């Protein structure tokens, strides 16, 4: 919502002064000054600052003091001082975005009450904050109205590799092979996971509260790449909007497969410990800040991380028209072994994000592979259907 609003405010600036190159998000171009008007030197940046401030304040009212301080530190002005751009543009864009998102289902309070006893079906892992079915995180997010996709199920696989029942799934050689793979390479004491794989696993993790989580990490990378290419303000707002819209819809699509399909797959820790014997005490690499085992509290199939990184990489490839872009990526995960690492392509981000989850022990291989496929489809669709080029023309 924030980056769509910023982009629409920037679109209004470009349309007003006859330099519009791309369609706004969802709405017709907004003109706010006469033909003979000329922008003030600080107008474009001021408009973006005001727009960001208003949307972030609306979405995070509990952090208002921090938001105010950040605004003042950035601009040198009080966020409460009068600015005519508020009435001319910001208020109107806020209404546009709020109307577009009204009743989108993101506030659905229903808790999960599905089957958690059949072998193969997701069940709480017994770790902290995941002890009962109702602890499942955002079980209705797949039903949220997307930002660009037609529905959260638009790219949903018809089944998990052809399996429609837990009994058939668990009896298959493919399931046994995937369970054994994550048992070997995702264990906290694995002797098969390489040092490089462990580095990758922790670098992209960001499951824990207090980190910026995968979408935040990827939006940070968007800024890093924008600076590398020295994009102007207009192109930067479009790149951020495409990234954010792709990530938002990738999250909805991921949760659709997790909770709205016939197979709501249990996590590897549940699958492996259920085999008993020495595996009854198997522990995964993934851990909370104290070092205790940590598994996200929702079904395994498909991987959210794989969805996110694939959607982001796809959007970036389309925007720049190439994949072979090198840049330095950053991680703030508390367990990360390296805070900064060189990426040689956007696809490297998608590939590492995909298999990092297998090496952490929180996902099976098909969770990662199918998640990447969905995320790629989301990125393709968003780029083909949103913020498209338009022929420049002066405001009417």
């Amino acid at each position: 919502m924030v980056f769509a609003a910023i982009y629409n405010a920037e679109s209004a600036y470009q349309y007003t002064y006859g330099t519009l190159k791309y369609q706004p998000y969802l709405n017709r171009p907004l003109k706010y000054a006469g033909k003979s008007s000329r922008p003030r030197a600080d107008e474009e940046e001021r408009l973006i600052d005001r727009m960001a401030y208003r949307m972030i304040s609306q979405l995070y009212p509990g952090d208002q003091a921090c938001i105010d301080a950040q605004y003042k530190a950035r601009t040198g002005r009080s966020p409460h001082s009068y600015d005519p751009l508020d009435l001319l543009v910001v208020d109107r864009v806020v209404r546009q975005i709020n109307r577009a998102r009204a009743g989108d289902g993101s506030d659905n309070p229903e808790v999960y009450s599905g089957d958690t006893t059949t072998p193969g079906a997701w069940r709480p892992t017994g770790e902290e904050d995941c002890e009962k079915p109702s602890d499942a995180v955002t079980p209705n997010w797949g039903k949220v109205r997307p930002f660009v996709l037609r529905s959260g199920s638009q790219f949903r696989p018809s089944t998990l590799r052809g399996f429609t029942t837990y009994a058939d799934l668990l009896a298959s050689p493919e399931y046994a092979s995937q369970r054994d793979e994550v048992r070997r390479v995702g264990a906290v004491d694995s002797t098969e996971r390489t040092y490089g794989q462990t580095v990758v696993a922790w670098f992209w993790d960001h499951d824990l509260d207090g980190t910026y989580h995968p979408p935040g990490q990827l939006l940070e990378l968007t800024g890093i790449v924008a600076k590398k290419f020295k994009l102007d303000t207009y192109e930067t707002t479009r790149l951020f909007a495409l990234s954010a819209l792709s990530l938002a819809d990738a999250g909805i699509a991921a949760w659709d497969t997790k909770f709205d399909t016939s197979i709501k797959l249990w996590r590897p820790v549940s699958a492996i410990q259920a085999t008993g014997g020495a595996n009854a005490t198997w522990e995964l690499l993934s851990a909370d800040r104290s070092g205790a085992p940590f598994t996200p509290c929702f079904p395994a199939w498909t991987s959210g991380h794989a969805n996110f990184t694939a959607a982001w990489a796809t959007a970036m490839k389309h925007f720049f028209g190439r994949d072979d872009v090198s840049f330095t990526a950053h991680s703030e995960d508390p367990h990360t072994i390296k805070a900064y690492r060189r990426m040689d392509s956007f696809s490297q981000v998608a590939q590492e994000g995909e298999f990092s989850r297998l090496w952490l022990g929180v996902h099976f291989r098909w969770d990662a592979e199918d998640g990447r496929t969905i995320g790629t489809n989301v990125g393709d669709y968003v780029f083909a259907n949103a913020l498209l080029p338009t022929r420049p023309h002066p405001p009417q």
Side-chain angles (χ1 to χ4, degrees):
M1 290 174 69
V2 172
F3 287 110
I6 290 172
Y7 173 77
N8 271 7
E10 175 67 13
S11 297
Y13 175 88
Q14 298 294 336
Y15 187 58
T16 296
Y17 299 113
T19 51
L20 188 75
K21 295 190 295 183
Y22 305 102
Q23 300 172 10
Y25 171 66
L26 293 181
N27 302 294
R28 297 182 63 183
L30 169 63
K31 176 175 174 287
Y32 64 90
K35 286 185 177 180
S36 61
S37 300
R38 294 292 181 269
R40 287 180 48 176
D42 68 341
E43 185 173 317
E44 184 179 20
E45 202 68 17
R46 209 172 81 238
L47 180 57
I48 291 172
D49 290 336
R50 296 301 302 169
M51 190 73 255
Y53 174 79
R54 280 286 299 279
M55 288 304 301
I56 295 171
S57 296
Q58 171 186 296
L59 292 167
Y60 302 100
D63 295 320
Q64 195 62 60
C66 176
I67 296 167
D68 287 358
Q70 290 290 326
Y71 180 91
K72 188 168 184 178
R74 172 176 164 79
T75 67
R77 300 185 298 271
S78 166
H80 307 294
S81 59
Y82 171 75
D83 193 314
L85 291 175
D86 286 349
L87 181 62
L88 293 171
V89 185
V90 175
D91 291 349
R92 297 163 73 179
V93 172
V94 168
R95 288 194 294 269
Q96 287 177 341
I97 299 299
N98 285 344
R99 280 197 301 268
R101 300 312 303 169
D104 65 2
S106 60
D107 58 352
N108 189 329
E110 294 182 16
V111 299
Y112 187 68
S113 58
D115 174 15
T116 58
T117 59
T118 299
W122 178 81
R123 72 275 317 278
T125 58
E127 299 162 9
E128 186 177 3
D129 298 326
C130 194
E131 298 176 349
K132 55 187 184 298
S134 59
D135 289 334
V137 178
T138 56
N140 307 296
W141 202 257
K143 299 183 179 70
V144 171
R145 185 171 68 248
F147 286 78
V148 181
L149 298 185
R150 295 189 301 271
S151 72
S153 62
Q154 184 172 339
F155 297 113
R156 177 200 295 175
S158 56
T159 63
L160 195 171
R161 305 296 175 92
F163 298 106
T164 57
T165 69
Y166 294 113
D168 288 344
L169 173 69
L170 267 60
S172 69
E174 186 175 6
Y175 168 79
S177 175
Q178 296 217 6
R179 181 188 60 197
D180 184 61
E181 179 184 30
V182 68
R183 179 190 63 79
R184 292 181 289 104
V185 302
V188 66
D189 56 355
S190 172
T191 58
E192 295 190 30
R193 184 180 57 249
T194 68
Y195 173 76
Q197 290 169 342
T198 303
V199 169
V200 168
W202 286 125
F203 189 85
W204 299 105
D205 187 22
H206 298 102
D207 273 325
L208 304 180
D209 288 344
T211 70
Y212 44 28
H213 293 282
Q217 182 181 30
L218 294 166
L219 287 170
E220 181 185 55
L221 299 190
T222 300
I224 289 170
V225 176
K227 289 179 180 178
K228 174 186 174 69
F229 281 90
K230 299 180 180 178
L231 299 183
D232 63 23
T233 301
Y234 191 12
E235 294 290 353
T236 298
T237 63
R238 180 170 178 258
L239 179 61
F240 268 104
L242 284 169
S243 297
L245 293 169
S246 297
L247 290 169
D249 278 1
I252 294 169
W255 260 249
D256 170 82
T257 56
K258 287 179 182 296
F259 285 101
D260 298 321
T261 54
S262 58
I263 299 293
K264 301 167 184 63
L265 188 62
W266 60 4
R267 289 282 180 167
V269 65
S270 300
I272 294 166
Q273 291 183 355
T275 62
N279 292 329
T281 57
W282 181 87
E283 289 187 7
L284 69 170
L285 175 63
S286 177
D288 63 17
R289 293 178 186 273
S290 72
F294 177 83
T295 304
C297 198
F298 38 77
W301 187 70
T302 59
S303 163
H305 279 63
N307 273 273
F308 288 132
T309 51
W312 179 86
T314 302
M316 299 295 280
K317 284 189 285 187
H318 281 308
F319 183 93
F320 290 102
R322 55 187 288 200
D323 184 29
D324 59 336
V325 173
S326 62
F327 54 94
T328 300
H330 172 241
S331 173
E332 67 171 22
D333 190 89
H335 299 289
T336 194
I337 298 169
K338 296 183 179 181
Y340 295 92
R341 295 176 59 243
R342 176 189 167 96
M343 298 289 114
D344 292 314
S345 66
F346 299 128
S347 292
Q348 183 181 349
V349 173
Q351 183 176 24
E352 290 192 3
E354 176 183 5
F355 289 110
S356 66
R357 311 303 286 164
L358 174 65
W359 299 324
L360 277 172
V362 295
H363 276 290
F364 302 96
R365 178 173 288 269
W366 50 31
D367 304 338
E369 292 175 342
D370 294 354
R372 183 173 180 177
T373 298
I374 295 170
T376 300
N377 288 334
V378 169
D380 285 337
Y381 187 86
V382 169
F383 191 84
N385 290 276
L387 322 189
L388 300 173
T390 186
R391 288 183 300 175
H393 57 281
Q396 302 297 318

